[in-house]
Amino acid sequence: MSDQFHDEKISVDVEKDSASRTDSHLSTSERAGWLSHPWATALLRWGVEERGTVPVPYDERKDTQFYKIFFVWFSMNFNILSFSTGTLGPIVFGLGLRDSCLVILFFNLIACTLPAYLNTWGPRTGMRQMIQSRYSFGYYGIILPAIVNLIGLCGFNILNCILGGQALSSVTNNNMSWTVGIVIIGLLSLLISFMGYKVLNWYERVAWFPVLVAFLVALGVGGKNLYNAPPVAPATADTILSFASVIAGFVITFAAMASDFTMYYEPTVSCHRIFWYSYLGYILPIILLECLGAAAVLAVPNVPSWNAGYGTAGNVGGLLEAMLSPVGNFGKFLTVMLSLSVTGNIACTLYSICFNFQVLAPALSKVPRYVFSIVGTVIALPLSIVGAHKFYETLTNFLSLIGYWASAYGAILLVEHHYFRKGDFNTYDQADWNVPGRLPWGVAALSAAILSFGLIIPCMNQVWFQGPIGITSGDIGFEVAFPLAGILYLPLRRLELKYQKKSIR
């Protein structure tokens, strides 16, 4: 199969090759136009990152502080969204603490491997995740996954804004509305994302510590209540698998933004090193906080102050404030720190949103990256305010749905890389990144992803839809999506290579 790629390369005319190399970066006149504005010059002088989807050349990948990727993922997930996701096991699916924790542990250990592995591609290719995906989905074919990924990323920001706003409001005894809290969280996150790579990495290295203090204090003053969980009905296969779908959906979607944060790393770094930094950055905060969330929400009926804080609306911020209330004003301060914990997640997500906009409309690659951080915030804030009082329904449906597409997406990338490209990163020629004729058509990848839903849909078990298989087995959509999309991609990609080669000749 490597020979097929070689034949495609040499059969492309010289004019096309020249065009690709000319367009790989913004032209001098275009860059001068942007930089001629005083505000743009000032932003660059202050260290704001301008680079969007343009790949980083080999000799510009010089970052050797590889441990930073651990803190990026650790801080992104060491927040109250991870805590609230754990509460879904008991609240939505009626699981006890043991069953909830076993599902959380087992499925996170599996699901975290895909995004951790894709982190290792960034240093080798110097490309953003969605740009890498063009080498499977094609220049135009990637637009559909970019749309779906944008919806997913914006959805995560909405959920985080709601949680942060709830927590800030609870500190004021609800004298400050959730809406005001949501706006404060959104604007703080925008500031971090706007600055770009350097500031983002610095923030993620320090943001986790006050959150750790807050959770340790909460355990210290309220840990004794976690042992008094009421008995629950025995777990069934369908409830376990449906909760597993939510857990997998929470983490597997990081695959679509993985290399956005590693593309500046020195290309010679060990893949194993990046993998383990990333993998541990996922599993440590996610497993610990999801299990804590499950334990805390099960104890709510037995602790009057927790029950009052949590309320009938499922106010996770109020629950955390109640857990910290025994330490008085210091507890309120820690609740503020917990509310701000979501800013690390929102900022990184806004950062990746920028590149998805530029992939969605390639002409926007000429617009500085930071402009789209503002656009992402403008989208998320009003939707967060509208959806604030339907949090659990929104969270459950959202996490399950995005897990389906991300699973199929990951399988297609892996088959393309390991089977058709023989694991050779040299086949990801940076000169091809924005030249449609030198990229796959994308028909095979899109067809495999879309056709896989022919079986995914019957395997779904959602509040709003239950497939004939899923209603019996529980939701196994994401488990089916991965192998099915990969299997379908094999023959479809072979056909695509055959006909694309003929059309080039």
Side-chain angles (χ1 to χ4, degrees):
M1 286 299 171
S2 295
D3 293 338
Q4 288 177 291
F5 279 97
H6 179 69
D7 291 342
E8 277 189 61
K9 293 278 185 189
I10 62 176
S11 61
V12 178
D13 57 59
V14 176
E15 290 182 9
K16 192 173 288 182
D17 182 66
S18 175
S20 71
R21 297 182 190 281
T22 302
D23 293 340
S24 290
H25 297 273
L26 297 181
S27 70
T28 303
S29 60
E30 285 168 338
R31 289 183 61 82
W34 282 111
L35 296 177
S36 64
H37 296 285
W39 61 266
T41 305
L43 289 174
L44 292 176
R45 190 168 58 248
W46 294 338
V48 175
E49 181 192 9
E50 182 191 30
R51 183 185 295 273
T53 52
V54 177
V56 182
Y58 189 94
D59 57 358
E60 292 182 23
R61 286 174 246 158
K62 298 179 179 179
D63 193 344
T64 57
Q65 295 179 317
F66 309 120
Y67 64 86
K68 291 189 298 188
I69 194 60
F70 167 80
F71 288 107
V72 165
W73 298 119
F74 187 88
S75 290
M76 270 191 75
N77 293 294
F78 201 54
N79 59 37
I80 51 181
L81 181 59
S82 296
F83 179 90
S84 65
T85 302
T87 67
L88 295 176
I91 292 297
V92 176
F93 300 102
L95 298 176
L97 181 58
R98 185 197 66 176
D99 294 323
S100 294
C101 289
L102 286 174
V103 171
I104 289 166
L105 175 64
F106 181 73
F107 283 91
N108 273 308
L109 289 174
I110 295 173
C112 288
T113 56
L114 176 61
Y117 174 61
L118 291 180
N119 273 269
T120 68
W121 291 20
R124 297 294 188 272
T125 65
M127 299 179 195
R128 306 290 187 187
Q129 188 62 50
M130 282 290 115
I131 295 299
Q132 285 180 15
S133 304
R134 281 181 175 173
Y135 292 75
S136 300
F137 284 86
Y139 186 83
Y140 298 108
I142 193 58
I143 291 175
L144 180 58
I147 292 172
V148 177
N149 195 40
L150 265 175
I151 294 170
L153 294 175
C154 289
F156 270 113
N157 279 356
I158 291 166
L159 295 173
N160 275 306
C161 283
I162 292 172
L163 282 172
Q166 285 179 347
L168 275 181
S169 176
S170 67
V171 174
T172 66
N173 297 319
N174 293 319
N175 290 323
M176 181 180 74
S177 69
W178 287 8
T179 298
V180 174
I182 287 169
V183 172
I184 292 172
I185 293 296
L187 294 179
L188 287 174
S189 304
L190 170 61
L191 177 62
I192 301 164
S193 172
F194 188 89
M195 296 300 293
Y197 181 78
K198 291 182 180 179
V199 172
L200 196 62
N201 273 276
W202 172 84
Y203 182 77
E204 302 296 352
R205 272 183 281 176
V206 300
W208 61 273
F209 185 72
V211 184
L212 174 64
V213 172
F215 277 117
L216 288 176
V217 172
L219 279 172
V221 298
K224 61 181 182 295
N225 297 311
L226 301 180
Y227 298 101
N228 300 321
V232 295
T236 60
D238 64 312
T239 55
I240 287 176
L241 288 172
S242 295
F243 182 45
S245 178
V246 171
I247 293 300
F250 180 84
V251 70
I252 203 169
T253 48
F254 288 126
M257 57 192 289
S259 70
D260 292 351
F261 304 95
T262 59
M263 61 181 281
Y264 288 103
Y265 288 170
E266 194 173 80
T268 57
V269 62
S270 165
C271 288
H272 292 94
R273 189 174 182 182
I274 298 298
F275 174 84
W276 284 110
Y277 276 144
S278 304
Y279 188 68
L280 293 174
Y282 293 125
I283 64 170
L284 290 178
I286 291 174
I287 291 175
L288 290 174
L289 291 188
E290 286 182 350
C291 288
L292 177 60
V297 80
L298 279 168
V300 161
N302 297 329
V303 185
S305 62
W306 293 16
N307 198 24
Y310 187 64
T312 57
N315 185 346
V316 175
L319 169 60
L320 289 166
E321 195 275 334
M323 292 174 70
L324 290 165
S325 60
V327 291
N329 288 332
F330 182 57
K332 291 185 179 295
F333 170 76
L334 292 177
T335 304
V336 172
M337 293 297 100
L338 287 176
S339 71
L340 296 178
S341 69
V342 299
T343 57
N345 191 298
I346 298 172
C348 285
T349 305
L350 280 175
Y351 184 75
S352 286
I353 279 175
C354 300
F355 317 127
N356 283 263
F357 274 118
Q358 292 178 324
V359 168
L360 178 61
L364 297 178
S365 62
K366 300 174 183 178
V367 180
R369 173 205 59 81
Y370 44 78
V371 172
F372 299 103
S373 291
I374 300 173
V375 175
T377 304
V378 170
I379 293 172
L381 286 182
L383 293 175
S384 301
I385 293 167
V386 171
H389 294 279
K390 296 181 179 179
F391 176 73
Y392 272 115
E393 179 182 346
T394 304
L395 179 61
T396 306
N397 294 337
F398 170 72
L399 290 179
S400 298
L401 280 174
I402 61 175
Y404 304 144
W405 97 265
S407 187
Y409 163 84
I412 289 168
L413 292 192
L414 294 182
V415 172
E416 173 69 27
H417 180 68
H418 289 286
Y419 184 80
F420 291 102
R421 298 180 185 268
K422 304 300 181 185
D424 184 4
F425 286 104
N426 291 323
T427 62
Y428 297 83
D429 190 344
Q430 281 197 354
D432 301 345
W433 78 277
N434 64 345
V435 182
R438 297 188 62 176
L439 292 166
W441 286 342
V443 175
L446 284 176
S447 299
I450 293 170
L451 289 173
S452 66
F453 275 83
L455 186 55
I456 292 171
I457 291 173
C459 294
M460 291 169 58
N461 188 349
Q462 298 289 323
V463 174
W464 47 272
F465 176 79
Q466 292 179 315
I469 299 174
I471 197 171
T472 303
S473 65
D475 195 314
I476 55 172
F478 98 92
E479 294 96 333
V480 168
F482 188 86
L484 183 58
I487 291 169
L488 288 171
Y489 186 63
L490 281 167
L492 291 171
R493 180 64 171 133
R494 283 176 174 170
L495 283 172
E496 184 177 68
L497 280 169
K498 177 181 177 181
Y499 287 103
Q500 188 170 11
K501 185 177 177 182
K502 286 182 179 179
S503 71
I504 290 175
R505 287 177 177 172

